[in-house]
Amino acid sequence: MSTLIIAGIAVAGCAAAARVALRQMPKATAAAQAAKKNFPQPPSDEAGQAGAEEEAAAGSAARGTQNVWFKQQFDEIFGSGHYKGGFETKMTRAEAAKILGVSTTASKETVKKAHKRLMLINHPDRGGSAYMALKVNEAKAMMDQGK
């Protein structure tokens, strides 16, 4: 008997919550539309200006452009976490700091910990790249040189 009462109260609670949610829907829709207007738009390209029928034909290409644009915006705001570019011919202190993941003014202890962490991952005896191990060692030497 008490199980039926609890089930009835639960159903009534769900119905009341649904009623409140439906009443708030127009306000939420208006707020979402306002936020959409303030959101920066991706750059328009030639295919986007050509018309709706051509955009529909382009299909995934247009969505791909928007996805690339969104990723660029996200990376600009939050940072991508990856350095885009190769190694310089002659290693600089700034490049050494980027490789080790420390600041250019890091202490010897911080540099030593970062070097150890990276060498555990990149050591050739553990399946890592010999080139990366060389660069990590070179970066440590460069950072130790200035101290």
Side-chain angles (χ1 to χ4, degrees), residues 124-147:
D125 291 347
R126 294 184 173 216
S129 165
Y131 182 70
M132 288 302 295
L134 175 80
K135 285 298 187 180
V136 170
N137 286 330
E138 187 180 351
K140 181 182 184 292
M142 175 61 72
M143 292 298 288
D144 285 344
Q145 206 175 52
K147 299 265 178 192

PDB file of all heavy atoms in Angstrom, residues 124-147:
ATOM      1  N   PRO A 124      64.958   5.926 -25.426  1.00  0.00           N
ATOM      2  CA  PRO A 124      64.971   4.909 -26.492  1.00  0.00           C
ATOM      3  C   PRO A 124      64.919   3.473 -25.970  1.00  0.00           C
ATOM      4  O   PRO A 124      64.363   2.599 -26.624  1.00  0.00           O
ATOM      5  CB  PRO A 124      66.286   5.175 -27.220  1.00  0.00           C
ATOM      6  CG  PRO A 124      66.637   6.576 -26.911  1.00  0.00           C
ATOM      7  CD  PRO A 124      66.081   6.857 -25.552  1.00  0.00           C
ATOM      8  N   ASP A 125      65.485   3.217 -24.792  1.00  0.00           N
ATOM      9  CA  ASP A 125      65.451   1.859 -24.236  1.00  0.00           C
ATOM     10  C   ASP A 125      64.040   1.442 -23.825  1.00  0.00           C
ATOM     11  O   ASP A 125      63.763   0.269 -23.638  1.00  0.00           O
ATOM     12  CB  ASP A 125      66.380   1.753 -23.020  1.00  0.00           C
ATOM     13  CG  ASP A 125      67.851   1.856 -23.417  1.00  0.00           C
ATOM     14  OD1 ASP A 125      68.132   1.766 -24.634  1.00  0.00           O
ATOM     15  OD2 ASP A 125      68.687   2.046 -22.526  1.00  0.00           O
ATOM     16  N   ARG A 126      63.154   2.419 -23.685  1.00  0.00           N
ATOM     17  CA  ARG A 126      61.764   2.130 -23.303  1.00  0.00           C
ATOM     18  C   ARG A 126      60.806   2.344 -24.474  1.00  0.00           C
ATOM     19  O   ARG A 126      59.610   2.544 -24.286  1.00  0.00           O
ATOM     20  CB  ARG A 126      61.343   3.016 -22.135  1.00  0.00           C
ATOM     21  CG  ARG A 126      62.098   2.696 -20.879  1.00  0.00           C
ATOM     22  CD  ARG A 126      61.586   3.522 -19.745  1.00  0.00           C
ATOM     23  NE  ARG A 126      62.197   3.093 -18.502  1.00  0.00           N
ATOM     24  CZ  ARG A 126      61.564   3.076 -17.354  1.00  0.00           C
ATOM     25  NH1 ARG A 126      60.317   3.445 -17.285  1.00  0.00           N
ATOM     26  NH2 ARG A 126      62.184   2.699 -16.269  1.00  0.00           N
ATOM     27  N   GLY A 127      61.346   2.354 -25.663  1.00  0.00           N
ATOM     28  CA  GLY A 127      60.506   2.479 -26.853  1.00  0.00           C
ATOM     29  C   GLY A 127      60.303   3.899 -27.326  1.00  0.00           C
ATOM     30  O   GLY A 127      59.521   4.143 -28.236  1.00  0.00           O
ATOM     31  N   GLY A 128      60.984   4.866 -26.721  1.00  0.00           N
ATOM     32  CA  GLY A 128      60.850   6.255 -27.132  1.00  0.00           C
ATOM     33  C   GLY A 128      61.736   6.574 -28.321  1.00  0.00           C
ATOM     34  O   GLY A 128      62.532   5.759 -28.783  1.00  0.00           O
ATOM     35  N   SER A 129      61.617   7.779 -28.784  1.00  0.00           N
ATOM     36  CA  SER A 129      62.378   8.235 -29.941  1.00  0.00           C
ATOM     37  C   SER A 129      63.764   8.713 -29.508  1.00  0.00           C
ATOM     38  O   SER A 129      63.896   9.491 -28.564  1.00  0.00           O
ATOM     39  CB  SER A 129      61.620   9.385 -30.612  1.00  0.00           C
ATOM     40  OG  SER A 129      62.448  10.081 -31.505  1.00  0.00           O
ATOM     41  N   ALA A 130      64.788   8.264 -30.217  1.00  0.00           N
ATOM     42  CA  ALA A 130      66.153   8.704 -29.925  1.00  0.00           C
ATOM     43  C   ALA A 130      66.301  10.197 -30.208  1.00  0.00           C
ATOM     44  O   ALA A 130      66.997  10.915 -29.478  1.00  0.00           O
ATOM     45  CB  ALA A 130      67.153   7.906 -30.756  1.00  0.00           C
ATOM     46  N   TYR A 131      65.628  10.667 -31.240  1.00  0.00           N
ATOM     47  CA  TYR A 131      65.690  12.091 -31.592  1.00  0.00           C
ATOM     48  C   TYR A 131      65.067  12.948 -30.494  1.00  0.00           C
ATOM     49  O   TYR A 131      65.613  13.969 -30.101  1.00  0.00           O
ATOM     50  CB  TYR A 131      65.005  12.331 -32.937  1.00  0.00           C
ATOM     51  CG  TYR A 131      65.064  13.764 -33.404  1.00  0.00           C
ATOM     52  CD1 TYR A 131      66.272  14.320 -33.814  1.00  0.00           C
ATOM     53  CD2 TYR A 131      63.924  14.550 -33.441  1.00  0.00           C
ATOM     54  CE1 TYR A 131      66.344  15.628 -34.247  1.00  0.00           C
ATOM     55  CE2 TYR A 131      63.986  15.858 -33.873  1.00  0.00           C
ATOM     56  CZ  TYR A 131      65.193  16.404 -34.276  1.00  0.00           C
ATOM     57  OH  TYR A 131      65.265  17.699 -34.695  1.00  0.00           O
ATOM     58  N   MET A 132      63.909  12.514 -29.975  1.00  0.00           N
ATOM     59  CA  MET A 132      63.260  13.269 -28.909  1.00  0.00           C
ATOM     60  C   MET A 132      64.102  13.248 -27.640  1.00  0.00           C
ATOM     61  O   MET A 132      64.218  14.260 -26.943  1.00  0.00           O
ATOM     62  CB  MET A 132      61.859  12.713 -28.625  1.00  0.00           C
ATOM     63  CG  MET A 132      60.852  13.019 -29.708  1.00  0.00           C
ATOM     64  SD  MET A 132      60.651  14.787 -30.022  1.00  0.00           S
ATOM     65  CE  MET A 132      59.970  15.319 -28.476  1.00  0.00           C
ATOM     66  N   ALA A 133      64.718  12.113 -27.330  1.00  0.00           N
ATOM     67  CA  ALA A 133      65.591  12.033 -26.158  1.00  0.00           C
ATOM     68  C   ALA A 133      66.777  12.984 -26.320  1.00  0.00           C
ATOM     69  O   ALA A 133      67.177  13.662 -25.366  1.00  0.00           O
ATOM     70  CB  ALA A 133      66.068  10.601 -25.962  1.00  0.00           C
ATOM     71  N   LEU A 134      67.312  13.069 -27.533  1.00  0.00           N
ATOM     72  CA  LEU A 134      68.414  13.983 -27.817  1.00  0.00           C
ATOM     73  C   LEU A 134      67.985  15.426 -27.572  1.00  0.00           C
ATOM     74  O   LEU A 134      68.708  16.207 -26.948  1.00  0.00           O
ATOM     75  CB  LEU A 134      68.883  13.796 -29.260  1.00  0.00           C
ATOM     76  CG  LEU A 134      69.958  14.772 -29.736  1.00  0.00           C
ATOM     77  CD1 LEU A 134      71.318  14.315 -29.242  1.00  0.00           C
ATOM     78  CD2 LEU A 134      69.941  14.868 -31.242  1.00  0.00           C
ATOM     79  N   LYS A 135      66.797  15.773 -28.059  1.00  0.00           N
ATOM     80  CA  LYS A 135      66.294  17.143 -27.892  1.00  0.00           C
ATOM     81  C   LYS A 135      66.002  17.452 -26.421  1.00  0.00           C
ATOM     82  O   LYS A 135      66.257  18.569 -25.960  1.00  0.00           O
ATOM     83  CB  LYS A 135      65.030  17.365 -28.739  1.00  0.00           C
ATOM     84  CG  LYS A 135      65.324  17.519 -30.207  1.00  0.00           C
ATOM     85  CD  LYS A 135      66.184  18.742 -30.430  1.00  0.00           C
ATOM     86  CE  LYS A 135      66.394  19.066 -31.869  1.00  0.00           C
ATOM     87  NZ  LYS A 135      67.223  20.259 -32.051  1.00  0.00           N
ATOM     88  N   VAL A 136      65.496  16.499 -25.679  1.00  0.00           N
ATOM     89  CA  VAL A 136      65.225  16.709 -24.253  1.00  0.00           C
ATOM     90  C   VAL A 136      66.541  16.924 -23.512  1.00  0.00           C
ATOM     91  O   VAL A 136      66.663  17.822 -22.674  1.00  0.00           O
ATOM     92  CB  VAL A 136      64.423  15.525 -23.660  1.00  0.00           C
ATOM     93  CG1 VAL A 136      64.356  15.612 -22.153  1.00  0.00           C
ATOM     94  CG2 VAL A 136      63.024  15.489 -24.252  1.00  0.00           C
ATOM     95  N   ASN A 137      67.550  16.119 -23.821  1.00  0.00           N
ATOM     96  CA  ASN A 137      68.865  16.289 -23.200  1.00  0.00           C
ATOM     97  C   ASN A 137      69.493  17.627 -23.577  1.00  0.00           C
ATOM     98  O   ASN A 137      70.099  18.304 -22.745  1.00  0.00           O
ATOM     99  CB  ASN A 137      69.801  15.141 -23.588  1.00  0.00           C
ATOM    100  CG  ASN A 137      69.457  13.859 -22.867  1.00  0.00           C
ATOM    101  OD1 ASN A 137      68.955  13.871 -21.752  1.00  0.00           O
ATOM    102  ND2 ASN A 137      69.728  12.735 -23.522  1.00  0.00           N
ATOM    103  N   GLU A 138      69.340  18.002 -24.836  1.00  0.00           N
ATOM    104  CA  GLU A 138      69.871  19.291 -25.297  1.00  0.00           C
ATOM    105  C   GLU A 138      69.167  20.446 -24.592  1.00  0.00           C
ATOM    106  O   GLU A 138      69.798  21.434 -24.205  1.00  0.00           O
ATOM    107  CB  GLU A 138      69.689  19.403 -26.818  1.00  0.00           C
ATOM    108  CG  GLU A 138      70.343  20.601 -27.439  1.00  0.00           C
ATOM    109  CD  GLU A 138      70.146  20.670 -28.951  1.00  0.00           C
ATOM    110  OE1 GLU A 138      69.645  19.708 -29.553  1.00  0.00           O
ATOM    111  OE2 GLU A 138      70.514  21.709 -29.519  1.00  0.00           O
ATOM    112  N   ALA A 139      67.869  20.315 -24.392  1.00  0.00           N
ATOM    113  CA  ALA A 139      67.106  21.348 -23.695  1.00  0.00           C
ATOM    114  C   ALA A 139      67.561  21.471 -22.246  1.00  0.00           C
ATOM    115  O   ALA A 139      67.710  22.581 -21.720  1.00  0.00           O
ATOM    116  CB  ALA A 139      65.613  21.031 -23.759  1.00  0.00           C
ATOM    117  N   LYS A 140      67.799  20.352 -21.588  1.00  0.00           N
ATOM    118  CA  LYS A 140      68.271  20.390 -20.199  1.00  0.00           C
ATOM    119  C   LYS A 140      69.633  21.064 -20.123  1.00  0.00           C
ATOM    120  O   LYS A 140      69.891  21.892 -19.254  1.00  0.00           O
ATOM    121  CB  LYS A 140      68.351  18.991 -19.600  1.00  0.00           C
ATOM    122  CG  LYS A 140      68.808  19.003 -18.137  1.00  0.00           C
ATOM    123  CD  LYS A 140      68.920  17.616 -17.589  1.00  0.00           C
ATOM    124  CE  LYS A 140      69.284  17.620 -16.125  1.00  0.00           C
ATOM    125  NZ  LYS A 140      70.612  18.091 -15.828  1.00  0.00           N
ATOM    126  N   ALA A 141      70.522  20.719 -21.057  1.00  0.00           N
ATOM    127  CA  ALA A 141      71.846  21.323 -21.080  1.00  0.00           C
ATOM    128  C   ALA A 141      71.744  22.832 -21.294  1.00  0.00           C
ATOM    129  O   ALA A 141      72.459  23.619 -20.648  1.00  0.00           O
ATOM    130  CB  ALA A 141      72.696  20.687 -22.176  1.00  0.00           C
ATOM    131  N   MET A 142      70.858  23.249 -22.175  1.00  0.00           N
ATOM    132  CA  MET A 142      70.682  24.683 -22.444  1.00  0.00           C
ATOM    133  C   MET A 142      70.153  25.401 -21.204  1.00  0.00           C
ATOM    134  O   MET A 142      70.616  26.496 -20.862  1.00  0.00           O
ATOM    135  CB  MET A 142      69.726  24.874 -23.622  1.00  0.00           C
ATOM    136  CG  MET A 142      69.376  26.321 -23.922  1.00  0.00           C
ATOM    137  SD  MET A 142      70.763  27.369 -24.368  1.00  0.00           S
ATOM    138  CE  MET A 142      71.128  26.757 -25.985  1.00  0.00           C
ATOM    139  N   MET A 143      69.203  24.788 -20.507  1.00  0.00           N
ATOM    140  CA  MET A 143      68.629  25.428 -19.315  1.00  0.00           C
ATOM    141  C   MET A 143      69.654  25.454 -18.180  1.00  0.00           C
ATOM    142  O   MET A 143      69.686  26.409 -17.405  1.00  0.00           O
ATOM    143  CB  MET A 143      67.363  24.689 -18.866  1.00  0.00           C
ATOM    144  CG  MET A 143      66.201  24.831 -19.823  1.00  0.00           C
ATOM    145  SD  MET A 143      65.621  26.521 -20.045  1.00  0.00           S
ATOM    146  CE  MET A 143      64.830  26.808 -18.485  1.00  0.00           C
ATOM    147  N   ASP A 144      70.492  24.436 -18.067  1.00  0.00           N
ATOM    148  CA  ASP A 144      71.507  24.406 -17.016  1.00  0.00           C
ATOM    149  C   ASP A 144      72.650  25.369 -17.308  1.00  0.00           C
ATOM    150  O   ASP A 144      73.328  25.836 -16.398  1.00  0.00           O
ATOM    151  CB  ASP A 144      72.067  22.998 -16.849  1.00  0.00           C
ATOM    152  CG  ASP A 144      71.095  22.070 -16.133  1.00  0.00           C
ATOM    153  OD1 ASP A 144      70.148  22.588 -15.505  1.00  0.00           O
ATOM    154  OD2 ASP A 144      71.273  20.842 -16.219  1.00  0.00           O
ATOM    155  N   GLN A 145      72.855  25.655 -18.579  1.00  0.00           N
ATOM    156  CA  GLN A 145      73.955  26.516 -19.015  1.00  0.00           C
ATOM    157  C   GLN A 145      73.838  27.920 -18.430  1.00  0.00           C
ATOM    158  O   GLN A 145      74.832  28.514 -18.020  1.00  0.00           O
ATOM    159  CB  GLN A 145      73.921  26.611 -20.541  1.00  0.00           C
ATOM    160  CG  GLN A 145      75.215  26.915 -21.203  1.00  0.00           C
ATOM    161  CD  GLN A 145      75.051  26.849 -22.706  1.00  0.00           C
ATOM    162  OE1 GLN A 145      74.159  27.480 -23.250  1.00  0.00           O
ATOM    163  NE2 GLN A 145      75.890  26.064 -23.357  1.00  0.00           N
ATOM    164  N   GLY A 146      72.633  28.462 -18.367  1.00  0.00           N
ATOM    165  CA  GLY A 146      72.433  29.830 -17.927  1.00  0.00           C
ATOM    166  C   GLY A 146      72.432  30.007 -16.422  1.00  0.00           C
ATOM    167  O   GLY A 146      72.394  31.109 -15.921  1.00  0.00           O
ATOM    168  N   LYS A 147      72.463  28.936 -15.659  1.00  0.00           N
ATOM    169  CA  LYS A 147      72.343  29.057 -14.186  1.00  0.00           C
ATOM    170  C   LYS A 147      73.690  29.002 -13.534  1.00  0.00           C
ATOM    171  O   LYS A 147      74.593  28.362 -13.844  1.00  0.00           O
ATOM    172  CB  LYS A 147      71.454  27.924 -13.641  1.00  0.00           C
ATOM    173  CG  LYS A 147      70.056  27.972 -14.220  1.00  0.00           C
ATOM    174  CD  LYS A 147      69.157  28.692 -13.312  1.00  0.00           C
ATOM    175  CE  LYS A 147      67.782  28.765 -13.945  1.00  0.00           C
ATOM    176  NZ  LYS A 147      66.891  29.605 -13.372  1.00  0.00           N
TER     177      LYS A 147
END
